[in-house]
Coordinates of all heavy atoms in Angstrom, one line a residue:
M237 N -21.8 -20.9 0.2 CA -22.9 -20.1 -0.3 C -22.4 -18.7 -0.6 O -21.8 -18.0 0.2 CB -23.9 -19.9 0.8 CG -24.6 -21.3 1.2 SD -25.7 -21.9 0.0 CE -27.2 -21.1 0.5
A238 N -22.6 -18.3 -1.9 CA -22.1 -17.0 -2.3 C -22.7 -15.9 -1.6 O -22.1 -14.9 -1.2 CB -22.3 -16.9 -3.8
D239 N -24.0 -16.0 -1.3 CA -24.7 -14.9 -0.6 C -24.1 -14.7 0.8 O -24.0 -13.5 1.2 CB -26.2 -15.3 -0.4 CG -26.9 -15.2 -1.8 OD1 -26.3 -14.6 -2.7 OD2 -28.1 -15.6 -1.9
D240 N -23.8 -15.8 1.5 CA -23.2 -15.6 2.8 C -21.9 -14.9 2.7 O -21.6 -14.0 3.6 CB -23.0 -17.0 3.5 CG -24.3 -17.6 3.9 OD1 -25.3 -16.9 3.9 OD2 -24.3 -18.8 4.2
I241 N -21.1 -15.2 1.7 CA -19.8 -14.5 1.6 C -20.0 -13.0 1.3 O -19.3 -12.2 1.9 CB -19.0 -15.2 0.5 CG1 -18.6 -16.6 1.0 CG2 -17.7 -14.4 0.2 CD1 -18.0 -17.5 -0.1
D242 N -20.9 -12.8 0.4 CA -21.2 -11.4 0.0 C -21.6 -10.6 1.3 O -21.1 -9.5 1.5 CB -22.3 -11.3 -1.0 CG -21.7 -11.7 -2.4 OD1 -20.5 -11.8 -2.5 OD2 -22.6 -11.9 -3.3
L243 N -22.5 -11.2 2.1 CA -23.0 -10.5 3.3 C -21.8 -10.3 4.2 O -21.7 -9.2 4.8 CB -24.1 -11.4 3.9 CG -25.0 -10.7 4.9 CD1 -25.7 -9.5 4.2 CD2 -26.0 -11.7 5.5
A244 N -21.0 -11.3 4.4 CA -19.9 -11.1 5.3 C -18.9 -10.0 4.9 O -18.5 -9.2 5.7 CB -19.1 -12.4 5.4
Q245 N -18.7 -9.9 3.6 CA -17.8 -8.9 3.1 C -18.4 -7.5 3.2 O -17.8 -6.5 3.5 CB -17.5 -9.1 1.6 CG -16.5 -10.3 1.4 CD -16.2 -10.6 -0.1 OE1 -17.0 -10.2 -0.9 NE2 -15.2 -11.3 -0.3
A246 N -19.7 -7.4 3.0 CA -20.4 -6.2 3.2 C -20.3 -5.7 4.6 O -20.1 -4.5 4.9 CB -21.9 -6.3 2.8
C247 N -20.5 -6.7 5.6 CA -20.4 -6.3 7.0 C -19.0 -5.8 7.3 O -18.8 -4.9 8.1 CB -20.7 -7.5 7.9 SG -22.5 -7.8 7.9
E248 N -17.9 -6.5 6.8 CA -16.6 -6.1 7.0 C -16.4 -4.7 6.5 O -15.7 -3.8 7.1 CB -15.6 -7.0 6.3 CG -15.4 -8.3 7.1 CD -14.4 -9.2 6.4 OE1 -13.6 -8.7 5.5 OE2 -14.4 -10.4 6.6
E249 N -16.9 -4.4 5.4 CA -16.8 -3.0 4.8 C -17.4 -2.0 5.7 O -16.8 -1.0 6.0 CB -17.5 -3.0 3.4 CG -17.1 -1.8 2.6 CD -15.7 -2.0 2.0 OE1 -15.3 -3.1 1.7 OE2 -15.1 -0.9 1.8
L250 N -18.6 -2.3 6.2 CA -19.2 -1.3 7.1 C -18.4 -1.1 8.4 O -18.3 0.0 8.9 CB -20.6 -1.8 7.5 CG -21.7 -1.7 6.3 CD1 -23.0 -2.3 6.7 CD2 -21.9 -0.2 6.0
D251 N -17.9 -2.3 8.9 CA -17.1 -2.2 10.2 C -15.9 -1.3 9.9 O -15.5 -0.4 10.8 CB -16.6 -3.5 10.6 CG -17.8 -4.3 11.2 OD1 -18.8 -3.7 11.5 OD2 -17.6 -5.6 11.4
R252 N -15.2 -1.4 8.8 CA -14.0 -0.6 8.5 C -14.4 0.8 8.4 O -13.7 1.7 8.9 CB -13.4 -1.2 7.2 CG -12.0 -0.5 7.0 CD -11.1 -1.4 6.1 NE -11.8 -1.7 4.8 CZ -12.0 -2.9 4.4 NH1 -11.6 -3.9 5.0 NH2 -12.6 -3.1 3.2
E253 N -15.5 1.1 7.7 CA -15.9 2.5 7.5 C -16.2 3.1 8.9 O -15.9 4.3 9.2 CB -17.1 2.6 6.6 CG -16.7 2.5 5.1 CD -17.9 2.5 4.2 OE1 -19.0 2.9 4.7 OE2 -17.8 2.1 3.0
A254 N -16.9 2.4 9.7 CA -17.2 2.9 11.1 C -16.0 3.1 11.9 O -15.9 4.1 12.6 CB -18.1 1.8 11.8
A255 N -15.0 2.2 11.7 CA -13.7 2.4 12.5 C -13.0 3.7 12.0 O -12.5 4.4 12.8 CB -12.9 1.2 12.3
I256 N -13.0 3.9 10.7 CA -12.3 5.1 10.2 C -13.1 6.3 10.6 O -12.4 7.3 11.0 CB -12.3 5.0 8.6 CG1 -11.3 3.9 8.2 CG2 -11.9 6.3 8.0 CD1 -11.4 3.5 6.7
A257 N -14.4 6.3 10.6 CA -15.2 7.5 11.0 C -15.0 7.8 12.4 O -15.0 8.9 12.8 CB -16.6 7.2 10.6
A258 N -14.8 6.8 13.3 CA -14.8 7.0 14.7 C -13.4 7.4 15.1 O -13.2 7.9 16.2 CB -15.2 5.7 15.4
R259 N -12.4 7.1 14.3 CA -11.0 7.3 14.7 C -10.7 8.8 14.7 O -10.9 9.5 13.6 CB -10.0 6.6 13.8 CG -8.6 6.6 14.2 CD -7.7 6.1 13.1 NE -8.2 4.8 12.7 CZ -7.9 4.3 11.4 NH1 -7.3 5.1 10.5 NH2 -8.4 3.1 11.1
P260 N -10.2 9.4 15.7 CA -9.8 10.8 15.7 C -8.5 10.9 14.9 O -7.6 10.1 15.0 CB -9.5 11.2 17.2 CG -9.2 9.9 17.8 CD -9.9 8.8 17.0
S261 N -8.4 12.0 14.1 CA -7.2 12.2 13.3 C -6.6 13.6 13.6 O -6.9 14.5 12.9 CB -7.5 12.1 11.8 OG -8.6 12.9 11.5
P262 N -5.8 13.7 14.6 CA -5.2 15.0 15.0 C -4.4 15.6 14.0 O -4.3 16.9 13.9 CB -4.4 14.7 16.3 CG -4.2 13.2 16.2 CD -5.3 12.6 15.5
K263 N -3.7 14.8 13.2 CA -2.8 15.4 12.1 C -3.6 16.0 11.0 O -3.3 17.1 10.5 CB -1.9 14.4 11.6 CG -0.7 14.1 12.5 CD 0.3 13.1 11.9 CE 1.4 12.8 12.8 NZ 2.3 11.7 12.3
L264 N -4.6 15.4 10.6 CA -5.5 15.9 9.5 C -6.9 16.2 10.0 O -7.8 15.5 9.7 CB -5.5 14.8 8.4 CG -4.6 15.0 7.2 CD1 -4.7 13.9 6.2 CD2 -4.8 16.4 6.6
A265 N -6.9 17.3 10.7 CA -8.2 17.7 11.3 C -9.1 18.1 10.1 O -8.6 18.6 9.1 CB -8.1 18.9 12.2
P266 N -10.4 17.9 10.2 CA -11.3 18.2 9.1 C -11.3 19.7 8.8 O -11.6 20.1 7.7 CB -12.7 17.8 9.6 CG -12.5 17.3 11.0 CD -11.1 17.3 11.4
G267 N -10.9 20.5 9.7 CA -10.9 21.9 9.4 C -10.7 22.7 10.7 O -11.3 22.5 11.7
V268 N -9.7 23.6 10.7 CA -9.4 24.4 11.9 C -9.4 25.9 11.4 O -8.9 26.2 10.3 CB -8.1 24.1 12.6 CG1 -8.2 22.7 13.1 CG2 -6.9 24.1 11.6
P269 N -9.8 26.8 12.3 CA -9.7 28.2 11.9 C -8.3 28.8 12.1 O -7.6 28.3 12.9 CB -10.7 28.9 12.9 CG -10.7 28.0 14.1 CD -10.5 26.6 13.6
G270 N -7.9 29.7 11.3 CA -6.6 30.3 11.4 C -6.2 31.0 10.1 O -6.9 31.1 9.1
D271 N -4.9 31.4 10.1 CA -4.4 32.1 8.9 C -3.8 31.0 7.9 O -3.1 30.2 8.3 CB -3.2 33.0 9.3 CG -3.7 34.2 10.1 OD1 -4.8 34.6 9.9 OD2 -3.0 34.6 11.1
C272 N -4.2 31.2 6.7 CA -3.7 30.3 5.6 C -2.2 30.5 5.5 O -1.7 31.6 5.4 CB -4.4 30.6 4.3 SG -3.8 29.6 2.9
E273 N -1.5 29.3 5.4 CA 0.0 29.4 5.3 C 0.4 29.9 3.9 O 1.6 30.2 3.6 CB 0.6 28.1 5.6 CG 0.5 27.7 7.1 CD 1.1 26.3 7.3 OE1 1.7 25.8 6.5 OE2 0.9 25.8 8.5
Y274 N -0.5 29.8 2.9 CA -0.2 30.1 1.5 C -0.5 31.6 1.1 O 0.3 32.2 0.5 CB -0.9 29.1 0.6 CG -0.4 27.7 0.8 CD1 -0.9 26.9 1.8 CD2 0.7 27.2 0.0 CE1 -0.4 25.6 2.0 CE2 1.2 25.9 0.2 CZ 0.6 25.2 1.2 OH 1.1 23.9 1.4
C275 N -1.7 32.0 1.5 CA -2.1 33.3 1.1 C -2.2 34.3 2.3 O -2.3 35.5 2.0 CB -3.5 33.3 0.4 SG -4.9 32.8 1.4
G276 N -2.1 33.8 3.5 CA -2.0 34.7 4.7 C -3.4 35.2 5.1 O -3.4 35.9 6.1
E277 N -4.4 34.9 4.4 CA -5.8 35.3 4.8 C -6.3 34.4 5.9 O -5.9 33.3 6.0 CB -6.7 35.2 3.6 CG -6.4 36.1 2.4 CD -6.6 37.6 2.8 OE1 -7.5 37.9 3.5 OE2 -5.9 38.5 2.3
W278 N -7.2 35.0 6.7 CA -7.8 34.3 7.8 C -9.0 33.5 7.3 O -9.8 34.1 6.6 CB -8.2 35.2 8.9 CG -8.6 34.4 10.2 CD1 -7.8 34.1 11.2 CD2 -9.9 33.9 10.5 NE1 -8.5 33.3 12.1 CE2 -9.8 33.2 11.7 CE3 -11.1 33.9 9.8 CZ2 -10.9 32.6 12.3 CZ3 -12.2 33.3 10.4 CH2 -12.1 32.6 11.6
F279 N -9.1 32.2 7.6 CA -10.2 31.5 7.2 C -10.7 30.7 8.4 O -10.0 30.3 9.3 CB -9.8 30.5 6.1 CG -9.7 31.1 4.7 CD1 -8.4 31.7 4.4 CD2 -10.8 31.3 3.9 CE1 -8.3 32.3 3.1 CE2 -10.6 31.9 2.6 CZ -9.4 32.4 2.3
S280 N -12.0 30.4 8.4 CA -12.6 29.7 9.5 C -12.3 28.2 9.3 O -12.6 27.4 10.2 CB -14.1 29.9 9.6 OG -14.7 29.5 8.3
R281 N -11.9 27.8 8.1 CA -11.6 26.4 7.9 C -10.4 26.2 7.1 O -10.4 26.4 5.9 CB -12.8 25.7 7.3 CG -12.7 24.2 7.1 CD -14.0 23.6 6.6 NE -13.8 22.2 6.4 CZ -13.3 21.7 5.3 NH1 -12.8 22.4 4.3 NH2 -13.1 20.4 5.2
L282 N -9.3 25.8 7.8 CA -8.0 25.4 7.1 C -7.8 23.9 7.2 O -8.1 23.3 8.2 CB -6.9 26.1 7.7 CG -6.9 27.6 7.8 CD1 -5.7 28.1 8.6 CD2 -6.9 28.2 6.4
V283 N -7.3 23.3 6.1 CA -7.0 21.9 6.2 C -5.5 21.8 5.8 O -5.1 22.3 4.7 CB -7.8 21.1 5.2 CG1 -7.3 19.7 5.2 CG2 -9.3 21.2 5.6
G284 N -4.7 21.3 6.7 CA -3.3 21.2 6.5 C -2.6 22.6 6.4 O -1.6 22.8 5.7
G285 N -3.3 23.6 7.0 CA -2.7 24.9 7.0 C -3.1 25.7 5.8 O -2.6 26.9 5.6
A286 N -3.9 25.2 4.9 CA -4.2 25.9 3.7 C -5.7 26.1 3.6 O -6.5 25.2 3.9 CB -3.7 25.1 2.5
C287 N -6.2 27.2 3.0 CA -7.6 27.4 2.8 C -8.0 26.7 1.6 O -7.2 26.1 0.8 CB -7.8 28.9 2.6 SG -7.2 29.6 1.1
G288 N -9.3 26.7 1.4 CA -9.9 25.9 0.2 C -9.4 26.5 -1.1 O -9.1 25.7 -2.0
F289 N -9.2 27.8 -1.2 CA -8.7 28.4 -2.5 C -7.3 27.9 -2.8 O -7.0 27.6 -3.9 CB -8.8 29.9 -2.4 CG -10.2 30.4 -2.1 CD1 -10.5 31.0 -0.9 CD2 -11.1 30.3 -3.1 CE1 -11.8 31.5 -0.7 CE2 -12.4 30.8 -2.9 CZ -12.7 31.4 -1.7
C290 N -6.5 27.9 -1.7 CA -5.1 27.6 -2.0 C -4.9 26.1 -2.2 O -4.1 25.6 -3.0 CB -4.2 28.0 -0.8 SG -4.0 29.8 -0.7
R291 N -5.8 25.3 -1.6 CA -5.8 23.8 -1.8 C -6.1 23.6 -3.3 O -5.5 22.7 -3.9 CB -6.7 23.1 -0.9 CG -6.2 23.1 0.6 CD -6.8 21.9 1.3 NE -8.3 21.8 1.2 CZ -9.2 22.6 1.9 NH1 -8.7 23.5 2.7 NH2 -10.5 22.5 1.7
D292 N -7.1 24.3 -3.8 CA -7.4 24.2 -5.2 C -6.2 24.7 -6.1 O -5.8 24.0 -7.1 CB -8.6 25.0 -5.6 CG -9.9 24.3 -5.2 OD1 -9.8 23.1 -4.8 OD2 -10.9 25.0 -5.2
R293 N -5.7 25.9 -5.7 CA -4.6 26.5 -6.5 C -3.4 25.6 -6.6 O -2.8 25.5 -7.7 CB -4.3 27.9 -6.0 CG -3.4 28.7 -6.8 CD -3.2 30.1 -6.2 NE -4.5 30.7 -5.9 CZ -4.6 31.7 -5.0 NH1 -3.6 32.2 -4.3 NH2 -5.8 32.3 -4.8
Y294 N -3.0 25.1 -5.5 CA -1.8 24.3 -5.4 C -2.0 22.8 -5.5 O -1.1 22.0 -5.2 CB -1.0 24.7 -4.1 CG -0.6 26.1 -4.1 CD1 -1.3 27.0 -3.2 CD2 0.4 26.6 -4.9 CE1 -0.9 28.4 -3.2 CE2 0.7 28.0 -4.9 CZ 0.0 28.8 -4.0 OH 0.4 30.2 -4.0
K295 N -3.2 22.4 -5.8 CA -3.6 21.0 -5.9 C -3.2 20.2 -4.7 O -2.6 19.2 -4.7 CB -2.8 20.4 -7.1 CG -3.1 21.1 -8.4 CD -4.4 20.7 -9.0 CE -4.6 21.4 -10.4 NZ -5.7 22.4 -10.4
L296 N -3.5 20.8 -3.5 CA -3.2 20.1 -2.3 C -4.3 19.1 -2.0 O -5.4 19.3 -2.4 CB -3.2 21.2 -1.1 CG -2.1 22.3 -1.3 CD1 -2.2 23.3 -0.3 CD2 -0.7 21.6 -1.2
P297 N -4.0 18.1 -1.2 CA -5.0 17.1 -0.9 C -6.1 17.6 0.0 O -5.9 18.5 0.7 CB -4.2 16.0 -0.1 CG -3.0 16.7 0.4 CD -2.7 17.8 -0.6
Ligands
ZN322 ZN1 -5.1 30.5 1.2

């Protein structure tokens, strides 16, 4: 039954997303306060040590 397979795949997709959302990621924190490593300005939210402006400027992930 195609419908059963689609449903099973949809459930697997949800399980994977839930697992990813629940997993803590210490290396890539969503955002930490501190001095930007690129421009030296203090920001309340740095990702990978870079502020949002520098991530745009240097095409950082
Ligand atoms: Zn910066």
Side-chain angles (χ1 to χ4, degrees):
M237 299 286 272
D239 286 348
D240 287 346
I241 292 170
D242 285 349
L243 197 60
Q245 285 177 342
C247 285
E248 279 179 23
E249 196 73 30
L250 284 175
D251 285 348
R252 189 159 53 235
E253 283 178 15
I256 291 170
R259 187 190 309 152
S261 53
K263 280 183 182 173
L264 263 179
V268 294
D271 294 325
C272 173
E273 292 178 10
Y274 295 83
C275 65
E277 297 288 328
W278 190 93
F279 285 89
S280 58
R281 186 174 176 276
L282 300 175
V283 176
C287 69
F289 299 112
C290 289
R291 289 203 309 283
D292 281 349
R293 189 177 305 161
Y294 300 106
K295 305 278 186 249
L296 299 171

